[in-house]
Amino acid sequence: MVPNAILQRVRSRLHRVVAMGGAARLTAVALSAAGAAVAADRLWFLPGWLRLGLLVAIAIGVASVVWRRLVRPLRKPLSDHDVANFLERRLPALNGRLLSAVDGIALSDRDTAAIAAAIPETGERALVPASRLPRLVTIAAIAIILALGIAVISPSFWRDGLARLMMPLSNHDWERGTVLAAAVERAVVATDEQVVVTIKRDHGPAGAVRLAWDDGHGNGAARQLSGSSGPWRQAIPLAPGVWNLTITGDDAHPIRLSALVVERPRLNRADATLTPPIYSGLPTQSLSSPACQALAGSRLDVRFTIGVPSGRTVVGVSARFGTASLPLRQVDDAWVGTTSIAQSADLIIEATDGDGIAMLPAAKFPVTVEPDRAPSVSLSGPRAGESVGPRAKVALTVEASDDLGLGNVELTAAVAMPNVAASEPRALLHEDIDGRRSLQRRVELVIASLAGPGGSITLVGRATDRNDVTGPGVGTSAPLILKVVAEDDIRRDLERQLSEARDRIVQARSALVPGLTDAAKLATSARAASQDAARAAETLARVLRRWNENALEAERIAPAAEAQKAI
């Protein structure tokens, strides 16, 4: 009976020691590993994939402890032979007697007494002392106490920490005293704009908030935002590139944003071909810029290229002439379009890239419509208001010109007689022109065929150009009015003018006398005499012309002709 009793007590003692030691190790390992993982997450806010890795590592460690320290030692029952062998090693004084009893060999009373004498008075505790068990239990107890203390002081440590550890891929977060929210108003901005960050405090007391930025190449800065309650709106001028923005404050999660600063699309080159309207006869011009002066009806063919930084693309290109959209098509790397010019306007070219960054300012090319001037017409020969006789044949010159070419030229005469209604203008000349830019025609007016004494003849020259777009342009001369009078009246008028010419000659001679007597006055005298002589010559020429046109007596005007030659 002694061997069976001692074997049972030792077996139970071994089981308890193994179970308690394994449980203590399991408690210590599980709490310390979980606490370390939660503390690391609390300090560095570990990403989900790393928390998942820690959870797997902790699970493997716990499973290893359970297997090595609990399952494997306890799953195989200890036989009497195993316990007897253990006791024989612990108590050499048994000298194999216990193994013999377990093997069924009958022992003598002496051997039985020897076995009983070899067993210590403290029994199974002395045989299975478990010297490391108190230390393991103490460590486990300390771990439990620390865990409970942390739970009391900071309930969110275990609540949020274990939730984040056990569900690593969830969105569960630590309970924060401060919660910030931030956003970039525009994730992509142009170099002439600023990156604008809006920040607000969703939760927590007022406190400092810091904004930092860097481009990953050592360039960056930081600033503490003014005020402590927010909200904030910060504009930051940044160079081209990708910028990382970080917003921090109190225990709030750092907010990380990014912004891209790029150069705007630019107009690399723009040229044009200007084709004037056909009527002008002007050649096609190649222009280095679409800005130009053109005739209405001209065609402007535009070609331009848009440049963007490497890695960027142009997704929208448009053009308009005035308020009308200009259809564009892409040819290789250029855009081309055609417009007809009807009035002065600006050709405006716009472009945007894939992020909506526009070319600013838009390219503007003023196109000015150059007016097609109306033809000019003049009449020369007789003076306006000049009197003519009924037998007169007056020489009249019609001169017309146009900057781009004449279409036709005409001369009309409107006759008015006393107490008679004015007649419709009568065409004395009408000629279609082949586009020449100037023309001169001489017309002889037979007064007798137009009007009699007392009447008046109004002569008007008219010319048109070949403008078939905005014209034709029409030009008229100043009216030239001739008065038809009796020959006696003509004769008296001309004789009066001859007398005036004679007086001018006398004045010229008198003005020359002081210079002949005083050399110092010669230049002044000569100039005054020359002016009087020129006026006399002009008057004589006019009198001779009119005398001949009016078919007056040739012998009476002969002395005047001789005098004109002398002058």
Side-chain angles (χ1 to χ4, degrees):
M1 294 298 295
V2 172
N4 288 335
I6 193 61
L7 291 176
Q8 184 60 36
R9 292 198 304 272
V10 170
R11 183 183 293 110
S12 298
R13 173 68 175 174
L14 285 171
H15 283 166
R16 288 194 302 273
V17 169
V18 169
M20 292 179 65
R25 289 176 184 272
L26 177 62
T27 301
V29 168
L31 288 177
S32 59
V38 170
D41 186 31
R42 179 67 173 175
L43 290 175
W44 298 299
F45 196 72
L46 304 179
W49 63 268
L50 185 54
R51 298 199 307 274
L52 178 61
L54 290 176
L55 178 61
V56 171
I58 292 172
I60 292 174
V62 169
S64 176
V65 171
V66 170
W67 172 256
R68 294 177 57 197
R69 299 298 179 178
L70 289 173
V71 176
R72 191 173 66 179
L74 297 176
R75 71 172 181 168
K76 183 178 180 180
L78 293 174
S79 64
D80 290 345
H81 190 277
D82 294 332
V83 177
N85 193 33
F86 169 77
L87 292 176
E88 289 284 352
R89 290 197 305 272
R90 298 283 294 171
L91 300 172
L94 291 176
N95 197 21
R97 295 184 181 90
L98 189 58
L99 284 174
S100 298
V102 171
D103 290 337
I105 300 174
L107 298 179
S108 63
D109 293 337
R110 183 181 176 183
D111 289 333
T112 301
I115 291 173
I119 300 298
E121 293 182 359
T122 54
E124 66 275 7
R125 290 183 177 276
L127 296 174
V128 186
S131 59
R132 299 171 61 184
L133 181 60
R135 182 164 60 89
L136 292 175
V137 172
T138 301
I139 293 174
I142 292 173
I144 293 172
I145 292 171
L146 288 175
L148 292 175
I150 293 173
V152 171
I153 296 172
S154 177
S156 64
F157 181 85
W158 288 116
R159 183 185 67 245
D160 295 333
L162 289 178
R164 287 174 54 80
L165 181 63
M166 300 305 293
M167 297 180 292
L169 302 181
S170 70
N171 293 324
H172 191 84
D173 193 10
W174 290 97
E175 181 180 343
R176 301 278 176 168
T178 300
V179 178
L180 300 176
V184 176
E185 287 189 355
R186 293 173 55 204
V188 182
V189 299
T191 51
D192 58 343
E193 298 178 317
Q194 295 181 330
V195 175
V196 178
V197 184
T198 57
I199 307 167
K200 64 178 181 177
R201 188 185 301 276
D202 284 345
H203 177 70
V209 174
R210 186 172 182 269
L211 171 62
W213 57 91
D214 70 89
D215 63 356
H217 302 288
N219 302 313
R223 68 174 62 158
Q224 182 168 313
L225 306 185
S226 60
S228 58
S229 58
W232 298 270
R233 187 176 184 272
Q234 290 291 308
I236 314 169
L238 299 175
V242 179
W243 291 86
N244 302 310
L245 311 173
T246 305
I247 299 97
T248 56
D250 296 334
D251 67 341
H253 279 305
I255 300 176
R256 292 177 175 83
L257 306 171
S258 65
L260 176 62
V261 181
V262 299
E263 294 181 358
R264 292 186 180 276
R266 62 189 180 278
L267 184 68
N268 282 343
R269 176 178 58 87
D271 52 41
T273 301
L274 180 65
T275 304
I278 296 175
Y279 80 84
S280 69
L282 298 175
T284 298
Q285 304 175 54
S286 295
L287 307 176
S288 60
S289 168
C292 62
Q293 287 185 325
L295 292 171
S298 298
R299 188 182 78 241
L300 188 65
D301 298 304
V302 183
R303 180 184 179 92
F304 60 90
T305 58
I306 301 295
V308 291
S310 176
R312 309 287 295 171
T313 57
V314 176
V315 299
V317 177
S318 63
R320 67 179 186 274
F321 184 66
T323 59
S325 176
L326 180 66
L328 297 175
R329 67 182 188 280
Q330 190 169 6
V331 179
D332 297 330
D333 62 340
W335 279 266
V336 297
T338 300
T339 185
S340 179
I341 301 173
Q343 58 185 2
S344 298
D346 290 331
L347 173 65
I348 298 175
I349 299 173
E350 298 173 309
T352 56
D353 64 15
D355 292 302
I357 302 299
M359 180 173 67
L360 289 180
K364 180 188 293 186
F365 301 94
V367 178
T368 304
V369 170
E370 183 179 7
D372 182 5
R373 293 184 295 274
S376 64
V377 186
S378 64
L379 303 178
S380 61
R383 301 175 67 182
E386 190 171 282
S387 299
V388 295
R391 295 188 303 122
K393 294 181 179 180
V394 180
L396 180 70
T397 301
V398 180
E399 292 182 297
S401 64
D402 186 73
D403 54 349
L404 298 175
L406 293 165
N408 61 67
V409 175
E410 65 179 16
L411 174 66
T412 62
V415 178
M417 296 295 294
N419 303 320
V420 179
S423 65
E424 290 293 325
R426 172 182 170 185
L428 303 181
L429 170 69
H430 182 90
E431 184 176 345
D432 293 327
I433 313 301
D434 57 1
R436 282 177 290 172
R437 297 192 177 186
S438 63
L439 178 74
Q440 185 180 79
R441 289 290 183 266
R442 186 178 178 86
V443 179
E444 185 179 66
L445 303 177
V446 180
I447 301 302
S449 65
L450 297 174
S456 65
I457 304 170
T458 302
L459 301 169
V460 176
R462 184 177 183 273
T464 62
D465 60 20
R466 299 193 303 162
N467 187 338
D468 57 1
V469 176
T470 60
V474 179
T476 58
S477 68
L480 177 60
I481 300 175
L482 300 178
K483 298 177 181 178
V484 183
V485 299
E487 285 187 354
D488 289 343
D489 294 334
I490 292 293
R491 191 177 290 109
R492 284 193 295 270
D493 182 36
L494 295 179
E495 289 176 349
R496 179 184 57 77
Q497 294 186 38
L498 281 173
S499 177
E500 290 178 358
R502 188 182 307 112
D503 294 341
R504 292 283 186 184
I505 294 173
V506 172
Q507 290 177 7
R509 293 175 63 184
S510 300
L512 193 59
V513 170
L516 296 175
T517 58
D518 185 354
K521 299 179 180 180
L522 181 60
T524 302
S525 298
R527 185 165 53 253
S530 176
Q531 292 174 352
D532 288 334
R535 294 190 184 97
E538 180 183 351
T539 302
L540 280 175
R542 184 168 61 251
V543 169
L544 288 172
R545 174 184 62 78
R546 293 182 63 193
W547 194 281
N548 293 329
E549 288 178 346
N550 284 277
L552 300 176
E553 300 86 346
E555 63 276 8
R556 294 187 61 180
I557 200 64
E562 294 297 327
Q564 182 187 31
K565 293 177 182 180
I567 295 175

